[in-house]
Amino acid sequence: MTGLQKGLVGLAVVAVLGTAAAMALRGGSGRGVGVRMEEIQRRDLVATVTASGNIRARRSVDISSDVAARVADLLVQEGDEVEEGDVLLRLDRTQLEAARARAQASVSQAEAQASQQRANLTRQSREYERIRSLWVRDSLLVSRQQVEDAETNLEVARANMDSAEYGVQVAQAALEEAEDRLAKTVFRAPIAGKVTRLNVEVGETVVMGTMNNPGSLILTISDLAVVEVVVQMDETDVPRLALGDSASVEIDAFPDREFTARVTEIGNSAIRPPSSNAAAGQQQAIDFEVVLTLDPTDADLRPDLSATADIVTDLRPAAIAVPIIALTVREDTARAGEGAAAEMEGVFVVENGIASFRRATVGIAGAEYFEVVEGLSEGETVVSGPYQTIRTLQDGDPVQREDGPAGSGPSGD
């Protein structure tokens, strides 16, 4: 083979390799980049926000003790159903009964002293009337000084009588206090419900609370006729909520059931104020408490169960929808030099095998689709994956349909 022939063969090989490389860059065999495509349709979209929290009864009562005594009789167990007025437990009454007896004796003593002062007042009143009568008949028989002394003695007796009567009132008040403390050794259910917490046993001593130290929490009764879910919501989601919004609730203890609820309370202030975070030297998220009331259910719900709520914040029936994964960002060359944002949101629309980037304005976000407000029409085909391909895809690139694995739609990416 001559040198010329060898050169021609080499050029031919280079040409073939160059053509193959160019075709590979175009997506293989000149067919374009492999992508998934989806036709824009109308769909019912539901926008939700998700938050986690715990179950609680709307109405519950924590029962603590107002006296310090030993538990003598416990009549309920945790989980028992009780009616309003039912006796729950009794405390030892020995010391308090002795205190009541002392108070009763003090009342008797005060009443005796009052009787004595009442008799003294009667005697001083008679003495004053006798001396004054003599002085009126004949001022020589009784001096004015004697009349004034009798009058003074009468006033003193009257004051002693008032003091004795007040002493009776004080003693009676002490007796009432002793009887009240004695009555508080018997605990009755303030509401009907279930005993959801029991912290004492027979023989334990309960103590009363003070200004700085809480008293013994004996038990908690919860009325589970109305059950709530209390969740913490991020500050960015709170403006989207409204009273009455519906929600679906998943409770960890009932994995196979879905519960329905409605928003009944939205916190007006943060759970942890920013001032407390600043004092601790930490920048923490600002969360608000949101309360949802569960619809009636036959499930045996208990306070403190973990729950997750999906709250519906908006609905768009039959809205033009585009897959969430299809939305991407590209440089806005038209506004790049104006000092404005140099990026715009949009999707790649496929026409005749060519992907063209088109600006799109979206509204609410459903689970897998955005609402299209402007820029796209029903029936158009858009690139819907894979995610990495959409990131690198350029306006005008040729594309070809590529079937993805089962379940590889927008949510799968």
Side-chain angles (χ1 to χ4, degrees), residues 72-91:
D73 194 9
L74 185 60
L75 305 178
V76 295
Q77 296 295 326
E78 190 167 315
D80 288 353
E81 295 283 349
V82 297
E83 296 295 330
E84 183 177 353
D86 287 353
V87 177
L88 306 174
L89 67 126
R90 296 185 179 91
L91 302 180

Side-chain angles (χ1 to χ4, degrees), residues 345-369:
E345 289 184 328
V347 300
F348 283 95
V349 179
V350 180
E351 295 180 357
N352 299 323
I354 303 298
S356 302
F357 184 79
R358 185 186 301 175
R359 182 197 296 269
T361 303
V362 297
I364 69 168
E368 298 180 351
Y369 291 86

Side-chain angles (χ1 to χ4, degrees), residues 56-349:
R56 77 176 183 190
R58 170 174 289 182
R59 187 184 184 199
S60 64
V61 179
D62 292 331
I63 298 177
S64 56
S65 180
D66 292 328
V67 296
R70 179 179 56 84
V71 178
D73 194 9
L74 185 60
L75 305 178
V76 295
Q77 296 295 326
E78 190 167 315
D80 288 353
E81 295 283 349
V82 297
E83 296 295 330
E84 183 177 353
D86 287 353
V87 177
L88 306 174
L89 67 126
R90 296 185 179 91
L91 302 180
D92 182 56
R93 300 162 58 93
T94 305
Q95 293 184 354
L96 295 176
E97 285 178 341
R100 182 181 63 176
R102 287 195 301 271
Q104 181 64 62
S106 297
V107 170
S108 299
Q109 181 181 20
E111 288 177 345
Q113 291 176 349
S115 298
Q116 181 180 358
Q117 294 300 328
R118 190 177 298 108
N120 184 52
L121 176 62
T122 300
R123 181 173 62 83
Q124 293 295 339
S125 179
R126 290 173 180 173
E127 180 68 14
Y128 170 72
E129 291 297 333
R130 185 181 65 81
I131 293 178
R132 184 174 180 280
S133 176
L134 290 174
W135 182 72
V136 170
R137 282 193 308 223
D138 189 350
S139 60
L140 297 178
L141 295 176
V142 178
S143 67
R144 184 175 183 84
Q145 181 65 38
Q146 290 177 303
V147 175
E148 292 177 350
D149 289 344
E151 185 177 7
T152 300
N153 291 336
L154 177 61
E155 293 298 326
V156 171
R158 185 176 290 114
N160 289 337
M161 178 60 194
D162 291 340
S163 176
E165 289 182 345
Y166 289 139
V168 172
Q169 294 178 12
V170 171
Q172 288 177 340
L175 176 61
E176 292 176 357
E177 181 180 3
E179 291 177 341
D180 178 68
R181 292 172 64 83
L182 185 62
K184 288 178 178 177
T185 61
V186 179
F187 292 80
R188 297 182 180 274
I191 62 172
K194 178 182 288 188
V195 179
T196 54
R197 183 175 287 107
L198 182 62
N199 295 333
V200 297
E201 295 291 343
V202 174
E204 293 184 10
T205 299
V206 298
V207 298
M208 56 189 296
T210 62
M211 181 176 296
N212 298 322
N213 297 311
S216 300
L217 175 60
I218 297 176
L219 55 84
T220 301
I221 298 178
S222 302
D223 180 5
L224 296 174
V226 181
V227 179
E228 298 177 334
V229 183
V230 184
V231 299
Q232 292 187 7
M233 190 72 64
D234 186 81
E235 60 180 325
T236 58
D237 293 326
V238 170
R240 301 166 58 187
L241 301 179
L243 294 178
D245 283 349
S246 61
S248 62
V249 179
E250 294 182 356
I251 301 176
D252 293 352
F254 300 88
D256 299 328
R257 297 189 60 173
E258 183 175 296
F259 302 85
T260 57
R262 292 194 175 275
V263 176
T264 52
E265 184 179 339
I266 302 173
N268 291 302
S269 59
I271 298 174
R272 291 176 295 275
S275 56
S276 63
N277 295 339
Q282 299 177 351
Q283 184 65 33
Q284 298 181 355
I286 302 300
D287 295 326
F288 288 77
E289 183 177 274
V290 177
V291 179
L292 301 92
T293 300
L294 285 176
D295 294 333
T297 176
D298 59 352
D300 184 18
L301 300 180
R302 304 183 181 191
D304 302 329
L305 291 177
S306 299
T308 301
D310 292 325
I311 305 172
V312 177
T313 59
D314 218 333
L315 298 172
R316 291 290 189 275
I320 297 177
V322 64
I324 290 177
I325 192 175
L327 195 69
T328 185
V329 176
R330 289 295 183 270
E331 183 179 359
D332 187 355
T333 56
R335 302 183 61 189
E338 300 177 3
E343 292 184 344
M344 60 180 174
E345 289 184 328
V347 300
F348 283 95
V349 179

